[in-house]
Amino acid sequence: MSSSRTARAAQAAALLLAVAVALIPLLWMLETSFKSNREITQDGTLYPHNLTTSSYHSLFSGREFGSYLANSLVVTFASVAIALVLGSLAAYSLARFHLVWGAERHVGVGLLTARILPPIVIVVPAYLLMGRLGLLDSRLGLIVIYSAFNVSLVVWMMESFFRDIPVDLEEAAMVDGDSRLTAFRRVILPLAAPGLVATAIFATIVTYNEFLFALVLTSTPRAETMPVGAATLIGRINTDWASMSAAGVVGALPIVLFALLVQRHLVRGLTMGAVK
């Protein structure tokens, strides 16, 4: 009995430690955003003695942080939506049709290599390509690049979900008069919805936080995203730590709210197919 209590206590302690490691930096960032720079750099106070929201005001009044945030939201939503449409169709084709020499079993992994490669390896070709297309420093350029990377992730993840859905269901729909595309839309997509949601969550988080391509392909606030905008607060001589913390808080809010809204769908999507 004592050994089981010890095991439970150890599990509880490990859980508390994990929660502390995850939350303490976020709490520190939140309280730092309400401090003045004097409290941060000179006084070194543990908590804000004089609460101030000046760092939040400066973000949206003189630093165009609203543009950075809007760019991130537009680019993320558009690129993930495009990738889900194209990637789902491609994944369905790989799950249902046979290619020469059984290539359908390897296409998904082959596409995923584009995701595995370090971004720095292909950032120069991407820059030259966007320059030739006239898409440098534009939201559309980022949407094209992010959509291309997200398609590989969608294909790789959704192929397994489509393979788990019995072929008999869509064949029955086609016997009733549906075309294959209609059967895919009316029968297969609703059944694969948890997988689509899980895939969309991963793609959204990765795209929203992407920094390197946004840094290289954009140069003005009309297209720069939130991570790049936050980096502009780091100067050569000093850093505005209060504004940096405020930018982190504001930038994290959309993705945190998104994660809270879809967390049950994420669990369902990840466990889909685990119990037959």
Side-chain angles (χ1 to χ4, degrees):
M1 194 71 175
S2 59
S3 62
S4 63
R5 284 204 197 106
T6 303
R8 284 197 296 270
Q11 291 175 353
L15 180 61
L16 288 174
L17 178 62
V19 171
V21 169
L23 291 183
I24 286 177
L26 298 178
L27 294 175
W28 185 265
M29 179 177 68
L30 179 62
E31 68 157 5
T32 302
S33 69
F34 291 104
K35 292 180 182 179
S36 64
N37 278 311
R38 177 183 176 84
E39 282 188 282
I40 298 170
T41 58
Q42 298 180 33
D43 299 339
T45 57
L46 185 61
Y47 59 90
H49 291 176
N50 298 305
L51 286 173
T52 176
T53 58
S54 59
S55 57
Y56 290 92
H57 290 296
S58 67
L59 282 181
F60 294 96
S61 60
R63 299 185 186 273
E64 299 187 88
F65 197 76
S67 297
Y68 301 137
L69 191 59
N71 292 336
S72 282
L73 294 175
V74 170
V75 169
T76 299
F77 176 80
S79 60
V80 171
I82 293 171
L84 283 177
V85 173
L86 299 180
S88 296
L89 292 171
Y92 175 75
S93 300
L94 293 175
R96 290 292 186 262
F97 301 110
H98 297 288
L99 302 179
V100 180
W101 299 317
E104 71 277 357
R105 296 192 298 270
H106 309 291
V107 171
V109 177
L111 288 173
L112 191 63
T113 56
R115 258 306 192 183
I116 297 174
L117 286 174
I120 193 67
V121 173
I122 54 178
V123 70
V124 173
Y127 179 87
L128 296 176
L129 177 62
M130 291 298 106
R132 284 184 174 274
L133 295 175
L135 295 178
L136 289 176
D137 195 30
S138 68
R139 290 178 177 178
L140 182 58
L142 290 179
I143 290 171
V144 170
I145 290 292
Y146 292 157
S147 297
F149 278 102
N150 285 331
V151 162
S152 61
L153 177 67
V154 174
V155 171
W156 180 67
M157 290 190 66
M158 289 306 302
E159 182 184 357
S160 61
F161 285 102
F162 288 136
R163 287 190 188 278
D164 287 338
I165 298 174
V167 181
D168 298 342
L169 296 177
E170 60 201 270
E171 288 180 347
M174 288 189 286
V175 168
D176 289 339
D178 286 346
S179 65
R180 182 173 289 274
L181 186 60
T182 305
F184 171 73
R185 179 177 56 83
R186 293 179 59 249
V187 178
I188 303 302
L189 278 184
L191 293 175
L196 283 170
V197 172
T199 304
I201 292 169
F202 283 118
T204 297
I205 293 173
V206 171
T207 304
Y208 186 81
N209 293 321
E210 202 283 325
F211 176 76
L212 181 61
F213 283 100
L215 176 66
V216 173
L217 300 180
T218 61
S219 56
T220 62
R222 72 174 186 174
E224 288 176 333
T225 57
M226 188 277 301
V228 178
T232 61
L233 300 173
I234 302 175
R236 293 184 178 181
I237 300 175
N238 59 3
T239 300
D240 189 348
W241 293 110
S243 295
M244 279 280 290
S245 299
V249 172
V250 174
L253 279 177
I255 207 69
V256 169
L257 293 175
F258 173 74
L260 291 175
L261 289 173
V262 300
Q263 61 177 337
R264 66 184 183 90
H265 299 290
L266 175 61
V267 174
R268 185 182 173 196
L270 292 177
T271 56
M272 181 182 177
V275 180
K276 296 292 184 181

